[in-house]
Amino acid sequence: MNERHYINRDFPRHGMRPMSDDMDLVAEIILINHLNPKVCWEIGTGKADWALFINQYMNISPEWHLTENFDWATTTNEAIMSYIPDNWPKNLTDINNHIRKMYKKNKKEFKYTLYDQDILKIQNNKLVDLWRIDCDFENLDQSIEHMLEYSSDNVIFFVDDIIPSRCINRFVTMMDQVRRGNLELVWVGIGEAAWTKPNTLDLPNMYHLFQKSAKYFRKFSLIDDKIIYNRNTAYFVIE
């Protein structure tokens, strides 16, 4: 990681407030800048703050494709409504306005396309290097299979809300792909995790990069040269 992307204890968010733990964002930036993905898709982008924030720290300016289903954001279900922030976007125009506002503050190029369709209905002509999943699906397994079909050899999947008290089905579904030999788990964070195709990363080498780049944060650990994790998530990955 070069000096421009060195992570320090101040960790500026550039005005964005992605709903991720700082420690998870650090790990994601390290992994992303190692792989340098050129085509990135975020499924369930919300206000696009995660993509905007990650873009600020990337070595390159990739092509972003952002999808959002607004049905849940306009629901009358009181339980869901209590969780949604007041400024949560209700249509593509809201997301566009937020992106333009953030772009004026930060100036770094952000190339993006917005969609309000199911990922299974979107025609994709380029292999994808990065997928981030932060939403629910009617058929998650079918959607992951579809994403794998359009993934590059160096693809990385980031999945949010994987802890048992949130959306454990996401973690279980991704681990089904591990059992099938399609993916391997490479990092488990506080609320997110990452998978790649088998043997994409030299994890012992990545572990040393993690330790060097995030030295001001809580330490990472490595299990059997196979999985990098934050120490407070050890219960989740140790068999």
Side-chain angles (χ1 to χ4, degrees), residues 88-181:
W88 203 251
K90 293 181 172 56
N91 50 55
L92 292 180
T93 299
D94 287 349
I95 301 178
N96 259 317
N97 290 339
H98 181 70
I99 290 174
R100 288 168 183 159
K101 178 182 177 181
M102 292 298 102
Y103 181 76
K104 288 180 180 178
K105 289 183 178 180
N106 298 292
K107 303 298 183 183
K108 184 178 178 184
E109 183 179 23
F110 186 70
K111 298 178 288 187
Y112 71 98
T113 304
L114 291 174
Y115 309 85
D116 60 355
Q117 293 177 286
D118 187 288
I119 185 62
L120 296 174
K121 298 178 182 178
I122 297 172
Q123 296 296 318
N124 183 29
N125 298 319
K126 295 182 180 180
L127 292 179
V128 178
D129 305 310
L130 181 155
W131 296 98
R132 185 178 190 255
I133 299 170
D134 189 10
C135 67
D136 294 323
F137 296 83
E138 289 186 6
N139 190 324
L140 179 55
D141 190 65
Q142 181 184 4
S143 298
I144 298 298
E145 290 282 355
H146 177 80
M147 293 178 204
L148 279 167
E149 184 179 348
Y150 291 95
S151 294
S152 69
D153 290 339
N154 291 323
V155 68
I156 187 165
F157 285 78
F158 292 106
V159 183
D160 193 17
D161 295 328
I162 48 84
I163 63 175
S165 61
R166 294 184 186 174
C167 303
I168 187 63
N169 63 307
R170 298 181 190 175
F171 186 83
V172 171
T173 301
M174 295 301 289
M175 293 308 292
D176 284 341
Q177 292 295 334
V178 173
R179 285 186 280 274
R180 295 170 194 167

Side-chain angles (χ1 to χ4, degrees), residues 19 42-52 66-70 72-73 87-92 94-96 98-99 114-115 132 134-135:
M19 297 171 68
E42 185 178 22
I43 315 301
T45 194
K47 295 194 297 180
D49 273 347
W50 185 88
L52 283 161
L66 311 172
T67 78
E68 182 58 57
N69 179 339
F70 298 99
W72 74 278
N87 62 347
W88 203 251
K90 293 181 172 56
N91 50 55
L92 292 180
D94 287 349
I95 301 178
N96 259 317
H98 181 70
I99 290 174
L114 291 174
Y115 309 85
R132 185 178 190 255
D134 189 10
C135 67

Side-chain angles (χ1 to χ4, degrees), residues 76-94:
T76 56
N77 183 300
E78 292 185 3
I80 297 176
M81 289 175 66
S82 66
Y83 174 78
I84 303 172
D86 292 337
N87 62 347
W88 203 251
K90 293 181 172 56
N91 50 55
L92 292 180
T93 299
D94 287 349

Side-chain angles (χ1 to χ4, degrees), residues 184-199:
E184 67 178 359
L185 176 64
V186 296
W187 162 72
V188 176
I190 294 168
E192 309 186 32
W195 288 258
T196 64
K197 290 185 178 179
N199 303 313

